[in-house]
Amino acid sequence: MDITVHRPGELTAADRVAWTALQSKAHLNGSPELANPFLSPEFTLAVGHWRRGVRIAVVREAGEPAAFFPFQRSITGVGRAIGLGVSDCQGLVHRPGFTWDARELLRACGLAMYEFDHLAGGQGPFEAGASGSFASPVMDIDQGYEAYLRQLKAKSPKFTRTTLAKERRLGRDHGSVRYVHDERDPAVLRTLMEWKSAQYRRTGRSDRFSQPWISQLVRQLFHTRSDQFAGLLSVLYVDEVPVAAHFGLRSERVFAQWFPAYDPAFAKYSPGLILHLRMAEAAAADGIAYLDLGRGQKQYKDSLKTRELTVSEGWVALRHPAAISHRARRAPVRALRNTVLSRPEFFEPADRLLKQLGKIRSRKKE
């Protein structure tokens, strides 16, 4: 393989076009996962603006780009998937039929190892190092919203009927309901981030927006727009007041869920579910094939999904002290977390404890 490694600012315009072209053809070539916006050059370049060590390996065959591999590299040579911790789809974007040797790629990139937690399907050389695979639910809308809704009604008639009824009741109780698929007001983005931070604290989770680089990344992606990629802020209004919102990323054919939240004062109306149905309707009209709801078992995802993709976590590594040390630190933490998440008898008490801690912290701040 002819492999060159570049800093984000060194990637040529021609290479960016070639990268996007590979994604555009992914659906036609039977690899729709590669069309995910988290694998787009725009996402990598945005992360590179706020995080050190971002690199892109370009693999050429006969002088033409055949694959693009974005990653983050530490000074010790530990490589991580681009945006690890906030990226919901990771891996190498490549042309149909492309094969690679994972360790040869690592050596060319100066990496002792490569760690991932949302590896896209079809990444065989990396999947060999996976320690676990997980479901990533999706909402298929390639046949149109009405077809999706019919499928949803057949699968979950009570859920569908109840959600649509709640939307009508919300309008009767509080005023006209209005949906904006691509809201451009930054003030509403700030409202969403405040809701999400409060939700993290309320449930005892770590507040992602307390990390400046994540907040800055989201704001930058909010202003990033092209025919092939955009950050979309979708908002449900009632009497011109936002009650639910979502910020996610869109490629030509995939809409990736990222940060959904709602005003708890309207919780009884399930505004988040109403928002997701409106998002599906608008995305279908825009030619989106599916909404990727992301890895993780949540009741609302199970209710909305039509099928599941599979993503993996783990690492591929060379025989190197940095790789051995990193795995020794990370493996026990990952194993414990996954055991808790997969076992109801562990997850439910842990979830209750986190929520109780969240309430205590909220009271202290008050």
Side-chain angles (χ1 to χ4, degrees):
M1 294 186 290
D2 176 16
I3 304 171
T4 55
V5 179
H6 309 264
R7 297 174 184 272
E10 298 169 348
L11 198 67
T12 69
D15 282 340
R16 289 183 59 177
V17 169
W19 185 342
T20 299
L22 290 178
Q23 287 196 287
S24 297
K25 297 173 183 176
H27 270 275
L28 299 176
N29 295 328
S31 302
E33 302 91 347
L34 298 183
N36 192 290
F38 285 107
L39 292 176
S40 297
E42 290 86 353
F43 180 74
T44 292
L45 296 176
V47 173
H49 192 78
W50 302 107
R51 304 295 282 172
R52 295 180 179 178
V54 171
R55 300 289 185 271
I56 304 107
V58 182
V59 187
R60 289 179 169 82
E61 292 183 336
E64 296 296 323
F68 294 85
F69 176 52
F71 61 92
Q72 290 176 249
R73 183 186 186 280
S74 73
I75 58 174
T76 59
V78 172
R80 310 176 77 196
I82 197 76
L84 190 77
V86 295
S87 168
D88 286 347
C89 190
Q90 302 153 0
L92 179 143
V93 178
H94 58 85
R95 64 162 179 73
F98 178 77
T99 59
W100 72 96
D101 181 280
R103 287 170 177 79
E104 180 184 350
L105 181 62
L106 294 187
R107 283 190 287 269
C109 295
L111 298 178
M113 67 179 301
Y114 172 63
E115 181 181 8
F116 49 84
D117 63 1
H118 286 75
L119 184 71
Q123 303 268 317
F126 290 153
E127 287 171 352
S131 58
S133 297
F134 307 89
S136 185
V138 303
M139 300 165 64
D140 287 300
I141 53 174
D142 55 327
Q143 300 302 310
Y145 176 69
E146 292 303 324
Y148 165 75
L149 200 59
R150 285 194 299 271
Q151 188 173 353
L152 192 65
K153 288 177 179 177
K155 184 190 75 166
S156 307
K158 183 178 179 181
F159 165 80
T160 309
R161 185 171 60 251
T162 301
T163 303
L164 295 175
K166 285 182 177 180
E167 180 175 4
R168 293 191 294 270
R169 188 160 66 250
L170 177 62
R172 288 196 303 269
D173 293 351
H174 295 280
S176 61
V177 177
R178 182 171 68 94
Y179 171 73
V180 177
H181 189 57
D182 185 12
E183 175 61 78
R184 303 309 304 150
D185 185 352
V188 184
L189 180 64
R190 288 194 296 272
T191 297
L192 167 61
M193 294 167 75
E194 289 168 1
W195 284 344
K196 198 67 183 177
S197 289
Q199 178 190 338
Y200 287 136
R201 294 192 299 269
R202 189 168 61 247
T203 57
R205 270 66 176 182
S206 174
D207 180 7
R208 288 184 173 181
F209 292 126
S210 67
Q211 300 183 56
W213 79 269
I214 296 179
S215 297
Q216 292 160 340
L217 175 66
V218 167
R219 292 189 185 98
Q220 178 173 342
L221 291 170
F222 173 72
H223 293 289
T224 303
R225 320 182 60 74
S226 70
D227 291 340
Q228 296 80 25
F229 179 95
L232 288 184
L233 175 61
S234 303
V235 186
L236 188 72
Y237 290 92
V238 175
D239 196 24
E240 300 307 311
V241 176
V243 297
H246 166 265
F247 182 75
L249 305 179
R250 171 196 61 77
S251 63
E252 281 187 288
R253 297 282 285 163
V254 180
F255 186 10
Q257 175 183 274
W258 206 8
F259 293 109
Y262 60 85
D263 184 343
F266 292 86
K268 69 177 183 179
Y269 300 100
S270 301
L273 292 175
I274 297 170
L275 176 69
H276 274 78
L277 291 181
R278 291 291 193 100
M279 284 162 54
E281 183 177 21
D286 282 348
I288 296 294
Y290 64 84
L291 275 71
D292 189 337
L293 299 177
R295 169 185 166 181
Q297 292 297 321
K298 297 287 181 64
Q299 185 175 353
Y300 81 92
K301 294 183 182 183
D302 286 339
S303 299
L304 292 167
K305 72 181 182 183
T306 53
R307 62 185 172 95
E308 295 175 343
L309 301 174
T310 299
V311 298
S312 304
E313 73 172 29
W315 34 63
V316 288
L318 305 178
R319 292 186 177 275
H320 191 283
I324 295 170
S325 175
H326 188 79
R327 287 190 64 167
R329 293 195 310 272
R330 295 281 290 163
V333 176
R334 280 195 171 188
L336 177 60
R337 183 201 64 201
N338 290 333
T339 298
V340 171
L341 291 175
S342 64
R343 301 279 293 276
E345 66 269 30
F346 295 152
F347 174 76
E348 291 171 5
D351 187 52
R352 286 195 298 271
L353 177 60
L354 285 173
K355 289 177 179 176
Q356 290 170 359
L357 290 173
K359 289 179 181 178
I360 292 171
R361 288 171 183 163
S362 296
R363 291 194 197 104
K364 285 182 177 179
K365 287 187 177 182
E366 292 172 1

